[in-house]
PDB file of all heavy atoms in Angstrom:
ATOM      1  N   SER A 135      22.331 -15.634 -12.322  1.00 96.00           N
ATOM      2  CA  SER A 135      22.956 -16.212 -11.134  1.00 96.00           C
ATOM      3  C   SER A 135      22.533 -17.654 -10.880  1.00 96.00           C
ATOM      4  O   SER A 135      23.196 -18.361 -10.107  1.00 96.00           O
ATOM      5  CB  SER A 135      22.617 -15.354  -9.908  1.00 96.00           C
ATOM      6  OG  SER A 135      21.216 -15.261  -9.747  1.00 96.00           O
ATOM      7  N   VAL A 136      21.442 -18.096 -11.504  1.00 98.00           N
ATOM      8  CA  VAL A 136      20.966 -19.456 -11.234  1.00 98.00           C
ATOM      9  C   VAL A 136      20.889 -20.314 -12.487  1.00 98.00           C
ATOM     10  O   VAL A 136      20.677 -21.541 -12.384  1.00 98.00           O
ATOM     11  CB  VAL A 136      19.573 -19.432 -10.554  1.00 98.00           C
ATOM     12  CG1 VAL A 136      19.599 -18.547  -9.315  1.00 98.00           C
ATOM     13  CG2 VAL A 136      18.481 -18.997 -11.512  1.00 98.00           C
ATOM     14  N   ARG A 137      21.049 -19.695 -13.646  1.00 97.00           N
ATOM     15  CA  ARG A 137      20.907 -20.456 -14.892  1.00 97.00           C
ATOM     16  C   ARG A 137      21.912 -21.598 -14.928  1.00 97.00           C
ATOM     17  O   ARG A 137      23.084 -21.424 -14.623  1.00 97.00           O
ATOM     18  CB  ARG A 137      21.100 -19.546 -16.105  1.00 97.00           C
ATOM     19  CG  ARG A 137      20.783 -20.234 -17.438  1.00 97.00           C
ATOM     20  CD  ARG A 137      20.954 -19.284 -18.617  1.00 97.00           C
ATOM     21  NE  ARG A 137      20.025 -18.170 -18.532  1.00 97.00           N
ATOM     22  CZ  ARG A 137      20.410 -16.908 -18.324  1.00 97.00           C
ATOM     23  NH1 ARG A 137      21.690 -16.632 -18.164  1.00 97.00           N
ATOM     24  NH2 ARG A 137      19.520 -15.946 -18.279  1.00 97.00           N
ATOM     25  N   GLY A 138      21.421 -22.785 -15.286  1.00 97.00           N
ATOM     26  CA  GLY A 138      22.277 -23.969 -15.338  1.00 97.00           C
ATOM     27  C   GLY A 138      22.305 -24.750 -14.043  1.00 97.00           C
ATOM     28  O   GLY A 138      22.764 -25.897 -14.014  1.00 97.00           O
ATOM     29  N   ARG A 139      21.835 -24.143 -12.961  1.00 98.00           N
ATOM     30  CA  ARG A 139      21.811 -24.829 -11.661  1.00 98.00           C
ATOM     31  C   ARG A 139      20.383 -25.060 -11.183  1.00 98.00           C
ATOM     32  O   ARG A 139      20.100 -26.040 -10.502  1.00 98.00           O
ATOM     33  CB  ARG A 139      22.554 -24.017 -10.605  1.00 98.00           C
ATOM     34  CG  ARG A 139      24.006 -23.757 -10.918  1.00 98.00           C
ATOM     35  CD  ARG A 139      24.721 -23.090  -9.742  1.00 98.00           C
ATOM     36  NE  ARG A 139      24.134 -21.796  -9.403  1.00 98.00           N
ATOM     37  CZ  ARG A 139      23.631 -21.489  -8.212  1.00 98.00           C
ATOM     38  NH1 ARG A 139      23.631 -22.376  -7.226  1.00 98.00           N
ATOM     39  NH2 ARG A 139      23.134 -20.274  -7.981  1.00 98.00           N
ATOM     40  N   PHE A 140      19.488 -24.118 -11.478  1.00 98.00           N
ATOM     41  CA  PHE A 140      18.108 -24.206 -11.023  1.00 98.00           C
ATOM     42  C   PHE A 140      17.210 -24.564 -12.206  1.00 98.00           C
ATOM     43  O   PHE A 140      17.465 -24.163 -13.352  1.00 98.00           O
ATOM     44  CB  PHE A 140      17.631 -22.872 -10.457  1.00 98.00           C
ATOM     45  CG  PHE A 140      18.239 -22.477  -9.133  1.00 98.00           C
ATOM     46  CD1 PHE A 140      19.355 -23.117  -8.608  1.00 98.00           C
ATOM     47  CD2 PHE A 140      17.675 -21.437  -8.397  1.00 98.00           C
ATOM     48  CE1 PHE A 140      19.894 -22.751  -7.394  1.00 98.00           C
ATOM     49  CE2 PHE A 140      18.209 -21.051  -7.175  1.00 98.00           C
ATOM     50  CZ  PHE A 140      19.323 -21.703  -6.686  1.00 98.00           C
ATOM     51  N   THR A 141      16.146 -25.310 -11.913  1.00 98.00           N
ATOM     52  CA  THR A 141      15.153 -25.659 -12.924  1.00 98.00           C
ATOM     53  C   THR A 141      13.759 -25.406 -12.369  1.00 98.00           C
ATOM     54  O   THR A 141      13.384 -25.966 -11.337  1.00 98.00           O
ATOM     55  CB  THR A 141      15.278 -27.132 -13.339  1.00 98.00           C
ATOM     56  OG1 THR A 141      16.586 -27.383 -13.838  1.00 98.00           O
ATOM     57  CG2 THR A 141      14.253 -27.463 -14.434  1.00 98.00           C
ATOM     58  N   ILE A 142      13.025 -24.563 -13.056  1.00 98.00           N
ATOM     59  CA  ILE A 142      11.647 -24.282 -12.684  1.00 98.00           C
ATOM     60  C   ILE A 142      10.730 -25.191 -13.497  1.00 98.00           C
ATOM     61  O   ILE A 142      10.997 -25.461 -14.681  1.00 98.00           O
ATOM     62  CB  ILE A 142      11.299 -22.791 -12.914  1.00 98.00           C
ATOM     63  CG1 ILE A 142       9.922 -22.435 -12.347  1.00 98.00           C
ATOM     64  CG2 ILE A 142      11.394 -22.425 -14.385  1.00 98.00           C
ATOM     65  CD1 ILE A 142       9.611 -20.922 -12.393  1.00 98.00           C
TER      66      ILE A 142
END
Side-chain angles (χ1 to χ4, degrees):
Chain A
S135 58
V136 307
R137 188 179 297 113
R139 300 187 299 122
F140 289 14
T141 302
I142 188 173

